């Protein structure tokens, strides 16, 4: 069943936000690294997070997922809907993107680049109260004082619900699991363009590769695959 467009209200997201608000009233926000009260990741622990020195081929990643604070933070965003994590990650991720795109802007004469978050199936989006990758993309756009990023969540969509990639133990199983699960709409918007394909974590890269394949078939000229972290 295609999941091209949906107007289903995300009630779980509103409930998640309410629970989070009430929880913060009862339990203060503490650092995921050292337990200091005030922020989800304090300034000291934030500076200590392990950057991605080596990443998967043709994928740009910011952090190493094996870092304890990084993995805890991404899980907070992904499974608990903690949007403050996306706000914290937006500045360093934005700086990484600008550095990577600097030559592109200079030599192409372009002033903008499109950001396409990897979509979730409708079922998973409802169960989690939203797509955390879309949240990251929107936070990037909020931080984008240069107005170079154009976030489009109406380009790539899921055609079917699939088991989580983390449950597939080999790269071959991951490829088979994700194959044919993406499709593109509004093709005229992306034809001949360079786009940023954004996800939270890259493990084997199969999800990003399948999404890239579909985008290229739809006419995208170049795809820069970007993640918050890589699991290698």
């Amino acid at each position: 069943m295609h999941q091209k467009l949906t107007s289903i209200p995300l009630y779980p997201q509103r409930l998640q936000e309410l629970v989070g608000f009430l929880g913060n009233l009862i339990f203060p926000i503490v650092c995921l690294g050292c337990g200091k009260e005030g922020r989800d990741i304090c300034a000291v622990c934030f500076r200590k997070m392990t950057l991605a020195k080596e990443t998967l081929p043709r994928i740009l990643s910011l952090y190493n997922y094996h870092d304890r604070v990084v993995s805890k933070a991404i899980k907070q965003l992904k499974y608990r809907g903690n949007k403050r994590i996306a706000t914290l990650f937006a500045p360093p991720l934005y700086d990484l993107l600008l550095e990577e795109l600097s030559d592109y802007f200079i030599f192409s004469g372009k002033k903008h680049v499109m950001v396409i978050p990897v979509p979730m199936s409708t079922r998973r989006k409802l169960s989690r109260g939203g797509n955390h990758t879309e949240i990251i993309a929107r936070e990037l756009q909020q931080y984008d004082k240069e107005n170079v990023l154009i976030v489009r969540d109406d380009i790539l969509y899921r055609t079917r619900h699939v088991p989580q990639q983390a449950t597939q133990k080999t790269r071959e199983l991951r490829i088979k699991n994700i194959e044919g699960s993406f499709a593109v709409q509004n093709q005229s918007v992306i034809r001949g363009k360079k786009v940023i394909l954004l996800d939270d974590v890259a493990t084997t890269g199969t999800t990003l590769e399948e999404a890239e394949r579909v985008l290229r078939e739809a006419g995208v000229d170049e795809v820069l695959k970007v993640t918050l972290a890589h699991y290698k």
Side-chain angles (χ1 to χ4, degrees):
M1 178 180 177
H2 285 343
Q3 303 181 35
K4 185 174 182 178
L5 293 173
T6 172
S7 59
I8 300 174
L10 294 179
Y11 295 121
Q13 182 176 351
R14 302 290 179 263
L15 179 60
Q16 196 174 59
E17 290 173 354
L18 177 60
V19 171
F21 173 76
L22 294 175
N24 291 337
L25 291 178
I26 302 171
F27 305 103
I29 299 170
V30 297
C31 174
L32 295 171
C34 66
K36 181 180 178 180
E37 188 173 328
R39 293 181 57 180
D40 292 282
I41 307 174
C42 73
V44 174
C45 290
F46 203 91
R47 289 194 295 269
K48 290 180 179 179
M49 291 192 301
T50 309
L51 295 174
K53 294 180 180 179
E54 293 183 13
T55 186
L56 294 164
R58 299 172 56 245
I59 297 177
L60 182 67
S61 298
L62 180 60
Y63 292 113
N64 188 326
Y65 189 77
H66 290 289
D67 183 289
R68 182 176 63 89
V69 177
V70 172
S71 60
K72 287 175 69 174
I74 291 176
K75 287 174 182 176
Q76 279 270 327
L77 172 62
K78 192 169 185 174
Y79 301 112
R80 298 190 180 181
N82 185 349
K83 295 181 181 180
R84 297 187 305 272
I85 299 297
T87 304
L88 288 173
F89 280 147
L93 185 58
Y94 181 74
D95 290 344
L96 180 69
L97 287 175
L98 282 194
E99 182 180 355
E100 180 70 20
L101 293 168
S102 59
D103 286 347
Y104 168 74
F105 288 134
I106 291 171
F107 295 112
S108 72
K110 304 290 186 182
K111 296 182 179 179
H112 309 283
V113 65
M114 195 178 301
V115 178
I116 301 177
V118 171
M120 285 181 174
S121 67
T122 301
R123 186 195 307 180
R124 186 157 291 135
K125 190 172 182 177
L126 286 171
S127 68
R128 292 184 182 175
N131 182 350
H132 58 286
T133 305
E134 288 179 12
I135 294 170
I136 297 168
R138 293 300 175 190
E139 285 298 324
L140 277 173
Q141 192 171 44
Q142 286 291 322
Y143 189 76
D144 178 25
K145 305 307 179 187
E146 303 294 327
N147 294 317
V148 298
L149 303 180
I150 302 173
V151 176
R152 294 294 297 259
D153 58 9
D154 61 342
I155 303 295
L156 195 65
Y157 67 95
R158 293 273 189 167
T159 60
R160 59 188 175 86
H161 180 78
V162 300
Q164 291 187 51
Q165 286 288 77
T167 64
Q168 310 302 305
K169 301 306 180 184
T170 67
R171 177 176 171 80
E172 290 71 23
L173 288 175
R174 285 172 180 255
I175 292 173
K176 184 177 180 181
N177 184 55
I178 204 71
E179 187 175 10
S181 64
F182 294 112
V184 170
Q185 58 191 359
N186 300 320
Q187 293 188 20
S188 61
V189 177
I190 58 174
R191 193 169 293 120
K193 301 287 182 63
K194 177 188 180 86
V195 304
I196 295 171
L197 181 62
L198 180 67
D199 206 357
D200 59 342
V201 179
T203 304
T204 63
T206 51
T207 298
L208 288 165
E209 288 171 1
E210 177 65 10
E212 178 185 18
R213 182 187 67 78
V214 172
L215 287 169
R216 286 188 180 276
E217 286 183 353
V220 168
D221 182 57
E222 186 178 352
V223 179
L224 173 61
K225 300 190 290 293
V226 178
T227 66
L228 273 183
H230 73 80
Y231 190 99
K232 186 177 181 182

